[in-house]
Amino acid sequence: MPFLLDLPHLVAAARLCMRRAAAPGADGLTWAGYRSGLRARLGELSDRLRTGTWEPGPLRQVEITSYTGKVFPAVIPTVEDRIVHRAMRRALEPILEHYVLADWVSAYRPRRNRITALRQAEPHQAAGRRWVADVDVAGASVGGSTEQFVDWLAVHVADGSFLHLFRRAVEALPTPLVPGSGLWPVLFHLRLSQVDALLTDWPVVRFADNYLIFTADEPSAVAAFDALTAALATLQMQPHPRKSRVRPPHEANTEDLFLIDG
């Protein structure tokens, strides 16, 4: 709760939000407008969070076109809600790092990117595991329920006041994993970490929603693909039919792994 109540933490969250240009939310308030009297505004926000009277504001519904051409729905919260989301994320990221995320997971976490994932893949291939079960998760950014996310978080967070506000923030979203929320990286990893926990017996690397399991031969790669498919099914997810396959050695060149839409 100090991340949500103490003024220095709220100021830090606000500054992180303001580092990126962003459109106003449904209330029309811009960052330029919110910065006027910032500390007084944040002090009042802290009081509402402390007393439990904070309520998420309206969401602005938009569509975003990615650089791959895919169009998907997203939301723009009010600037104040963005601060709350970011403050929650700052509180939770250390917990994810120490207790939730496997070392072989990269993307949407500090100092972990595609290069990190490739470096972790190289020793597996150097050890002779040249067959790869390559699974891109279909719909990894949709689905899930508020109850699931609160339950998963409650395994690691005992603060009932924080969990209550976290629930309120997630319930206000059209779906928990809708793009645009500052909580999205936390929710994304909370969900996929449930799958990760079922893969501890395999040599695996995950970058975002792309899993690679490295094996020495084709039968093992097929078994790995089936095991990952079964793990995804526990959360009503499945491999993307076009992007997922067993890769023989000649298709598993390190630099070709984890490519967008690859």
Side-chain angles (χ1 to χ4, degrees):
M1 283 301 289
F3 281 87
L4 300 182
L5 303 182
D6 292 356
L7 191 59
H9 283 304
L10 289 176
V11 170
R15 286 175 175 168
L16 285 171
C17 291
M18 287 186 278
R19 286 171 59 183
R20 301 179 62 184
D27 61 356
L29 182 60
T30 64
W31 283 117
Y34 197 85
R35 279 196 296 265
S36 177
L38 177 64
R39 288 184 175 270
R41 289 180 183 270
L42 294 179
E44 195 269 337
L45 172 61
S46 172
D47 289 340
R48 283 185 281 126
L49 290 166
R50 178 179 290 104
T51 58
T53 58
W54 170 76
E55 293 288 346
L59 295 166
R60 181 180 164 198
Q61 307 278 344
V62 297
E63 286 189 341
I64 295 176
T65 302
S66 71
Y67 63 86
T68 62
K70 180 180 179 181
V71 178
F72 54 90
V75 297
I76 301 177
T78 64
V79 293
E80 185 171 87
D81 285 356
R82 280 175 249 178
I83 294 172
V84 174
H85 292 173
R86 190 69 191 216
M88 289 181 176
R89 179 176 168 184
R90 290 186 72 240
L92 295 175
E93 280 182 335
I95 295 171
L96 293 182
E97 287 296 314
H98 289 287
Y99 301 107
V100 177
L101 294 174
D103 183 61
W104 42 264
V105 172
S106 293
Y108 314 127
R109 58 188 297 199
R111 298 174 296 281
R112 298 296 187 99
N113 51 35
R114 179 174 177 265
I115 301 303
T116 310
L118 292 177
R119 287 174 178 166
Q120 292 181 322
E122 287 174 350
H124 294 304
Q125 294 191 312
R129 304 184 188 99
R130 301 289 300 175
W131 283 84
V132 179
D134 183 349
V135 171
D136 193 289
V137 182
S141 297
V142 297
S145 68
T146 299
E147 289 303 320
Q148 283 180 313
F149 287 105
V150 173
D151 287 348
W152 293 331
L153 187 60
V155 173
H156 308 283
V157 175
D159 190 326
S161 297
F162 186 95
L163 290 172
H164 176 73
L165 290 171
F166 176 82
R167 178 193 296 274
R168 186 173 293 177
V170 175
E171 283 178 337
L173 301 172
T175 63
L177 280 163
V178 62
S181 161
L183 287 173
W184 187 89
V186 171
L187 300 173
F188 178 86
H189 278 312
L190 271 177
R191 190 186 193 201
L192 285 186
S193 69
Q194 312 307 307
V195 177
D196 299 345
L198 302 176
L199 302 174
T200 54
D201 293 334
W202 295 96
V204 57
V205 178
R206 172 164 72 85
F207 174 66
D209 58 0
N210 187 185
Y211 288 87
L212 299 184
I213 300 180
F214 299 86
T215 66
D217 51 51
E218 184 176 10
S220 298
V222 172
F225 192 100
D226 291 344
L228 181 45
T229 300
L232 290 170
T234 63
L235 291 181
Q236 293 75 53
M237 293 188 290
Q238 61 186 356
H240 191 291
R242 179 174 61 83
K243 301 178 184 179
S244 305
R245 60 192 179 276
V246 171
R247 290 180 181 262
H250 69 275
E251 290 184 7
N253 176 57
T254 301
E255 293 302 323
D256 293 333
L257 303 175
F258 302 117
L259 293 175
I260 299 296
D261 206 39

